[in-house]
Amino acid sequence: MCSSDLVYVRLPLEFYVGGSYSQLALRTESPDAGTFHNSHRQFQAQLSRRLYRHYLRLSWTGTELNMRGSYQKLTSWEAEDSFNWLGITASAAVRLQRVAGDESKQTYYTRSSLNWNRGRFSAYGNWELGKDLANQSIFATTTATSSEIGRAHV
């Protein structure tokens, strides 16, 4: 079974608040090991606002994983600032992550990018630093960490 819900609302003073909930329930049957029930839930909330040339975002994510009787909870707070001016876009984010379960740990993860567009030419760079614990869960949308620099001419 899989379900998901999303809510996004505009508040006074140009604030936006959003949230989502996702749930995944799996049942595994094996003649040797029997039947296992696994459940995974993820909650997300964010607050954002445009301020002059900046786009500010604060988000919270909570993920609960229950697999074969082993329970793990991942929580994270992330703050991000994106800036756009004369074809230049710069953004940076920092995320505090905590895992509680069989093993407990806390990490910081940062990412940043810089893009420049002028006519048909663009240049870009993306950097990541730290351990992204969110990419180790079943809800991960990407599993790669990388740093890259490039250019494109069309």
Side-chain angles (χ1 to χ4, degrees), residues 95-112:
R95 182 186 308 153
L96 168 64
Q97 304 170 114
R98 290 190 179 133
V99 174
D102 297 338
E103 177 184 331
S104 295
K105 58 183 149 181
Q106 177 176 310
T107 66
Y108 290 94
Y109 172 74
T110 60
R111 59 186 166 80
S112 58

Side-chain angles (χ1 to χ4, degrees), residues 11 14 16 22 45 49 54 63 70 72 75 93 109 125 131-132 135 148:
L11 299 175
E14 298 296 318
Y16 292 86
S22 299
R49 184 175 196 270
H54 293 266
T63 305
S70 176
Q72 189 175 46
T75 57
Y109 172 74
K131 187 170 185 176
D132 188 8
N135 278 334
E148 62 182 345

Side-chain angles (χ1 to χ4, degrees), residues 71-120:
Y71 179 78
Q72 189 175 46
K73 184 174 183 178
L74 169 68
T75 57
S76 67
W77 286 92
E78 182 172 304
E80 180 180 21
D81 182 13
S82 296
F83 175 78
N84 192 339
W85 180 68
L86 294 178
I88 299 172
T89 303
S91 71
V94 63
R95 182 186 308 153
L96 168 64
Q97 304 170 114
R98 290 190 179 133
V99 174
D102 297 338
E103 177 184 331
S104 295
K105 58 183 149 181
Q106 177 176 310
T107 66
Y108 290 94
Y109 172 74
T110 60
R111 59 186 166 80
S112 58
S113 67
L114 182 64
N115 299 295
W116 179 62
N117 295 304
R118 182 62 119 202
R120 295 178 4 181

